[in-house]
Amino acid sequence: MLGGCGGPFSTLDPAGPAAASVARLWWVMLGGSALLFLLVMVLLLLAFLRPGIASGTGERLWLFWGGLVMPGLVLAALLVFALASGERLLAHPGTPGILRVEARPQQWIWRFTYPEAEGMETTGLLHIPAGRPVDVHVIGGDVIHSFWVPRLGGKLDAIPGHTNILRLKAAEPGLYDGLCAEFCGTFHAEMRFAVQAHPAEEYEAVLARLASRLPLPAAPRGAQERDDGERGAVGSVPVGRSPEGRRLDGQTQGGHAP
């Protein structure tokens, strides 16, 4: 069971502040649920071992404190914490130093454009600078998809005709796996992509080399990334299939994907 707490698609192994907020919320809710479960088990055990222990307490008192007050306080505390955590995931306008990129999903591939690089496009691989917040404008097209990089942040749906914004930040350079988290058709399971976080001081040079279709130098890979055969050949990442069902592979070490 603990093996599921790590790996490239684990939300419990965050590599950025947004993902850390999601993981923290999960742990708090798990801890709160465990305490409530323990309390119920203690009361159940007392009922078996010492029958009639609460016979002197009125039923209304149990209903009021145990059925209304305690659940209300616990749920209110979790709600406040969840709202505060969710607020940190929002892309607030006017924040200085924010980089903008656009994600355009299509059955069954992801295309990324870079407005600050004259609209340059890559397929299946999103390039961002490490240590700098990035607003990903998820632009819906054909059907509903969902943009998700588990180690960098939460999910965000791509709804046809709408643009939703998700703010990500990679704490350190590396390669982070992403996928479509909303069933979108026959090859949904293969609609994956990756996010390459480059050292911030090298990012402009990376975009310039990509625009010139020059190969990039070897980039650091995420500490938790596994080479388990899912990525295909070395230096490539599966990016899904074309609408005709043809398998597509995008280059992770530079250049535009085919």
Side-chain angles (χ1 to χ4, degrees):
M1 181 177 68
L2 294 179
C5 297
F9 294 109
S10 174
T11 58
L12 302 182
D13 185 20
S21 182
V22 173
R24 191 180 306 113
L25 175 61
W26 188 91
W27 284 112
V28 168
M29 295 189 70
L30 176 64
S33 301
L35 289 176
L36 287 177
F37 177 79
L38 181 62
L39 176 61
V40 171
M41 291 299 101
V42 169
L43 293 176
L44 181 63
L45 186 62
L46 286 175
F48 276 107
L49 297 180
R50 301 184 61 182
I53 187 175
S55 58
T57 306
E59 294 179 356
R60 291 187 177 182
L61 193 62
W62 278 102
L63 289 174
F64 177 74
W65 289 103
L68 292 177
V69 175
M70 185 187 70
L73 291 176
V74 171
L75 292 176
L78 290 176
L79 176 62
V80 170
F81 188 82
L83 290 176
S85 299
E87 184 71 15
R88 289 191 288 269
L89 301 178
L90 298 178
H92 295 286
T95 305
I98 303 297
L99 176 71
R100 171 177 172 167
V101 297
E102 296 177 353
R104 300 174 184 269
Q106 172 190 349
Q107 292 177 313
W108 288 274
I109 56 176
W110 290 88
R111 302 186 188 278
F112 303 103
T113 56
Y114 308 80
E116 297 185 14
E118 300 181 353
M120 184 192 69
E121 180 181 287
T122 57
T123 302
L125 183 64
L126 173 61
H127 296 272
I128 65 172
R132 180 180 174 185
V134 178
D135 279 357
V136 182
H137 290 242
V138 183
I139 303 173
D142 47 7
V143 299
I144 296 178
H145 301 278
S146 187
F147 179 94
W148 190 28
V149 187
R151 297 191 62 214
L152 294 183
K155 305 175 186 177
L156 189 66
D157 284 349
I159 302 174
H162 294 268
T163 298
N164 295 323
I165 305 175
L166 179 68
R167 181 162 295 172
L168 299 179
K169 181 180 178 181
E172 59 184 23
L175 188 66
Y176 304 98
D177 293 274
L179 71 161
C180 175
E182 184 75 27
F183 180 74
C184 57
T186 305
F187 297 109
H188 161 72
E190 298 185 36
M191 191 172 172
R192 298 187 179 185
F193 62 95
V195 176
Q196 181 74 64
H198 302 271
E201 65 276 8
E202 300 176 8
Y203 184 66
E204 296 298 332
V206 166
L207 292 185
R209 294 182 71 88
L210 286 172
S212 302
R213 295 182 177 271
L214 296 175
L216 296 178
R221 302 169 77 84
Q224 297 295 327
E225 184 186 351
R226 298 174 295 112
D227 186 8
D228 54 7
E230 292 183 358
R231 293 187 176 279
V234 175
S236 67
V237 55
V239 298
R241 293 179 182 264
S242 68
E244 297 78 24
R246 181 171 59 88
R247 185 179 179 86
L248 301 175
D249 291 296
Q251 294 301 311
T252 66
Q253 299 300 332
H256 294 266

